Amino acid sequence: MLPHRFPCPPLRSNLRQGGRARWWMLLLVVLALAAGGGWWWTQRQAGPDGAAATVGTTTPGRFSAGGQVQPVSVGLVRRQDVRVMVQAIGTMSARATAVVRAKVGGELTALHFKEGQQVKAGQLLAEIDARSYQAALSQVQGNLQRDQALLKNAQLDLQRYKDLLAQDSIATQQVDTQAALVRQLEGTVAADQAQVDAARLQLGYTRITAPIAGRLGLRQADRGNVVGPSDANGIVTINLVQPIDAAFSVPEAHLAPIQQRLAEGAALPVELWDREQKHRLARGRLGALDNAIDPATGTIKVKAAFANEDGGLFPNQFVNVRLQLDVLQGVLTVPGTAVQNNYVYLVQPSGTVTQRRIRVGAAEGDRVSVDGDLKDGDQVVTDGLDRLREGAKVAVIDAGVATRADEAAQDSGARRAALLRSLTQAERDRLATMAPDERRAFLRARRTQQADGAAAPASAAASAAR
């Protein structure tokens, strides 16, 4: 007889119920621990009187007056003259430009210039084959001589006819006819003279001269080429660059002060700077204003003149322009890096900083004119502004220390490079295989050896001097 077996499902159900009970107990323990931790943290944040501490009464932080000392760099407030400048981008343009073309057609037989040469007005530049023009001149000169001879003979005959008419020996009609012939020949001689002058002018055009003074460009025709008045490029181009002009645009808001200064007869200085604005190229003065404002940009074109005595400025060269409108006499200035949102941090004798509101004016170089509660000689923070708040403690960093440290590092690097260059190739190969400590010892010994070798000649020279 088979033994009686109890069904399994009730046993598994009991096991699952026991597991759920244990998980609920664990969850209750975790919640109790979390509640206890929160109560403990609240008590820690409470003040001595049991009240919860607020954010404003926490321990002084890094940005508060009682925080740690912040290192900063400072600059001096200084009273000086400041120029009111307008900056723009300009283009150089030649005062005058001329394309040298042949006025008569012919073969170039000679060139009397070098490319890039400075020439004067009327200087001979080239010559064209003049034989055909010389022949044409000789021909019209011959016609002139013939007609002059005919005119002379007609004038003599007219005089004879007049004498005979006075004796009533000739008809009046014959005298009048001879007088008309004389006038006809006089017209012919005048026409011949004009032809001679024209032929002589054409012959003179075979000698090509400079119409203006200036600097020559690259030649566009060579000896042996046939040139003529219709050539688009001509023979060479001349640009008058001494003096030279700079054209640039300024906002229309500056038009009124510019016109006022020009009406007063003041000379408005203009400076030209290179692309990086590190080197000044030239100084000049404002020359003229355009007669209309550009409606698309709201600017007006201005032209300034420069002597360009050294020839350093070229047409079509891009330059940075600084136009001086006025000079502010004896105003307070601060370094431009000290200004932040119309405020500066003033370093007080107590070693703390305080904010001073200012009104920013004109800027020149790295300094800005300001108007505010500052005095000449005050110190304002120029570096480290983002770490400061009202009343923060600061320590002024000596700018010269960092500079001297950089110079010392550069000198050390230069000496090390010189020492490595003095080694032979075999010593360099051996140095590359050394351990770091061994390499340092080797270099130290080599420096000592060089120092002793340099000191020996100096001591010998001193002994000889004694």
Side-chain angles (χ1 to χ4, degrees):
M1 183 177 179
L2 295 174
H4 178 74
R5 295 180 178 178
F6 293 97
C8 294
L11 178 60
R12 289 196 296 268
S13 177
N14 292 335
L15 291 175
R16 283 196 296 269
Q17 291 178 359
R20 291 194 185 99
R22 285 194 298 271
W23 280 108
W24 278 108
M25 289 297 294
L26 180 61
L27 179 61
L28 291 175
V29 171
V30 171
L31 292 176
L33 290 175
W39 176 84
W40 176 83
W41 178 256
T42 302
Q43 294 299 319
R44 289 279 296 180
Q45 296 297 318
D49 54 353
T54 61
V55 176
T57 59
T58 56
T59 304
R62 59 179 294 195
F63 297 125
S64 63
Q68 63 182 6
V69 178
Q70 300 296 329
V72 295
S73 299
V74 298
L76 291 179
V77 179
R78 196 165 59 231
R79 190 174 293 277
Q80 64 182 47
D81 296 342
V82 176
R83 299 181 298 171
V84 181
M85 308 293 287
V86 177
Q87 298 192 9
I89 298 177
T91 306
M92 305 307 300
S93 60
R95 178 65 61 87
T97 300
V99 179
V100 180
R101 295 187 178 92
K103 296 182 180 180
V104 293
E107 179 185 348
L108 278 178
T109 58
L111 293 174
H112 301 284
F113 66 88
K114 295 181 180 179
E115 296 171 320
Q117 174 186 349
Q118 286 283 348
V119 296
K120 298 180 180 179
Q123 181 174 335
L124 180 63
L125 300 180
E127 292 183 72
I128 295 176
D129 186 4
R131 290 175 294 178
S132 61
Y133 298 97
Q134 181 64 54
L137 176 60
S138 300
Q139 181 179 1
V140 295
Q141 284 176 338
N143 294 335
L144 175 61
Q145 292 176 0
R146 180 197 62 197
D147 293 337
Q148 284 177 340
L150 293 175
L151 174 61
K152 184 64 175 178
N153 185 56
Q155 289 173 342
L156 293 174
D157 288 344
L158 178 60
Q159 185 62 40
R160 295 189 189 98
Y161 291 164
K162 287 181 179 180
D163 293 341
L164 293 174
L165 181 62
Q167 300 173 6
D168 199 15
S169 299
I170 192 173
T172 305
Q173 182 180 2
Q174 189 174 358
V175 176
D176 295 338
T177 302
Q178 187 64 29
L181 179 60
V182 169
R183 289 192 296 271
Q184 179 182 354
L185 291 174
E186 287 176 347
T188 303
V189 169
D192 292 342
Q193 184 62 52
Q195 291 180 356
V196 169
D197 295 338
R200 185 177 286 113
L201 183 62
Q202 294 293 310
L203 179 61
Y205 285 157
T206 60
R207 292 173 56 85
I208 302 174
T209 58
I212 62 173
R215 176 182 292 167
L216 297 176
L218 302 179
R219 68 174 183 270
Q220 303 298 320
D222 295 320
R223 181 179 175 182
N225 294 159
V226 176
V227 296
S230 61
D231 294 340
N233 296 328
I235 298 175
V236 71
T237 301
I238 303 177
N239 284 328
L240 177 58
V241 294
Q242 293 177 340
I244 193 171
D245 297 326
F248 57 98
S249 299
V250 298
E252 60 180 325
H254 299 299
L255 180 58
I258 290 176
Q259 285 185 316
Q260 180 180 357
R261 295 299 305 279
L262 291 178
E264 296 172 353
L268 297 182
V270 181
E271 296 179 353
L272 299 182
W273 292 74
D274 63 352
R275 188 181 299 272
E276 291 79 16
Q277 298 199 20
K278 294 182 179 180
H279 302 285
R280 184 174 56 211
L281 302 177
R283 287 180 176 177
R285 56 181 296 175
L286 188 67
L289 297 173
D290 200 359
N291 59 358
I293 296 175
D294 187 353
T297 60
T299 59
I300 185 169
K301 290 184 179 179
V302 183
K303 182 177 287 188
F306 300 87
N308 196 26
E309 295 177 353
D310 59 350
L313 300 175
F314 284 78
N316 300 329
Q317 178 182 356
F318 287 95
V319 290
N320 288 295
V321 184
R322 298 181 185 179
L323 169 62
Q324 178 180 325
L325 294 181
D326 199 359
V327 179
L328 303 179
Q329 303 287 341
V331 295
L332 288 176
T333 63
V334 298
T337 55
V339 181
Q340 187 180 50
N341 298 328
N342 291 327
Y343 283 93
V344 294
Y345 279 102
L346 176 65
V347 180
Q348 298 180 341
S350 60
T352 60
V353 294
T354 181
Q355 276 190 340
R356 293 292 171 87
R357 185 173 182 82
I358 58 172
R359 186 167 63 251
V360 179
E364 181 180 2
D366 58 350
R367 299 194 69 83
V368 181
S369 64
V370 296
D371 185 13
D373 188 13
L374 297 173
K375 300 187 301 296
D376 189 8
D378 286 345
Q379 290 184 336
V380 291
V381 179
T382 58
D383 187 22
L385 299 172
D386 56 332
R387 302 190 302 269
L388 298 181
R389 295 294 184 270
E390 177 68 26
K393 294 181 180 179
V394 296
V396 177
I397 300 175
D398 184 7
V401 173
T403 302
R404 289 191 293 271
D406 291 340
E407 292 177 352
Q410 294 176 0
D411 293 342
S412 177
R415 289 194 299 270
R416 181 180 179 85
L419 177 61
L420 293 176
R421 286 195 300 269
S422 66
L423 299 178
T424 63
Q425 186 61 42
E427 291 174 333
R428 293 177 186 175
D429 296 340
R430 186 160 57 91
L431 187 65
T433 60
M434 292 182 181
D437 294 340
E438 186 180 2
R439 186 184 300 111
R440 285 193 293 270
F442 174 80
L443 294 177
R444 191 181 303 112
R446 196 58 181 266
R447 281 195 294 269
T448 304
Q449 180 181 357
Q450 289 183 350
D452 294 342
S459 59
S463 300
R466 289 195 297 268

